[in-house]
Amino acid sequence: MRAIKIDAENSKMYDIEIETGWREIPKALHSKAEYFQPVRFTDNTDLIVDEEGLFKDYGFGFKVNGVPFVGNGILLSVAGEDYTDVYTDAESIDIDLEFVQGLQVRL
């Protein structure tokens, strides 16, 4: 399925293809990601992040509308209880995005 990757490690946002199935989503986030957490972005889109990102030493992240996230992110559209192709592309999406490097998380 078509998704938008927020690649905070490289300070880029671009379109990607992910194999269908929830097990493929963490692989698309980062090699360190095992689990993912959806965050509602719009009525029909979720922002997917590493559920355990705060416990990993990524050293990078991003902010969406001023809200910080650790690691990378993925945008996918929601269809009922399933994910489907994102409704737009990386060049067209309207998002307040800021990349953060040298991120240190203290718990």
Side-chain angles (χ1 to χ4, degrees), residues 25-72:
I25 294 173
K27 295 176 192 175
L29 279 169
H30 193 274
S31 61
K32 291 183 183 180
E34 295 179 54
Y35 307 101
F36 67 90
Q37 178 66 45
V39 178
R40 189 51 47 114
F41 181 69
T42 66
D43 287 342
N44 64 348
T45 306
D46 278 358
L47 168 62
I48 310 295
V49 295
D50 184 345
E51 182 176 69
E52 299 176 330
L54 290 174
F55 302 108
K56 298 176 183 167
D57 186 24
Y58 279 116
F60 57 85
F62 61 97
K63 293 180 182 180
V64 174
N65 298 327
V67 178
F69 297 94
V70 178
N72 296 321

Side-chain angles (χ1 to χ4, degrees), residues 5 8 14-17 22 37-38 41 43 47 55-56 65 74 77-78 87 90 95 101 104:
K5 181 165 185 175
Y14 48 86
D15 300 314
I16 63 170
E17 285 287 329
W22 66 269
Q37 178 66 45
F41 181 69
D43 287 342
L47 168 62
F55 302 108
K56 298 176 183 167
N65 298 327
I74 295 174
S77 289
V78 180
Y87 68 94
I95 184 172
Q101 299 297 325
Q104 293 183 345

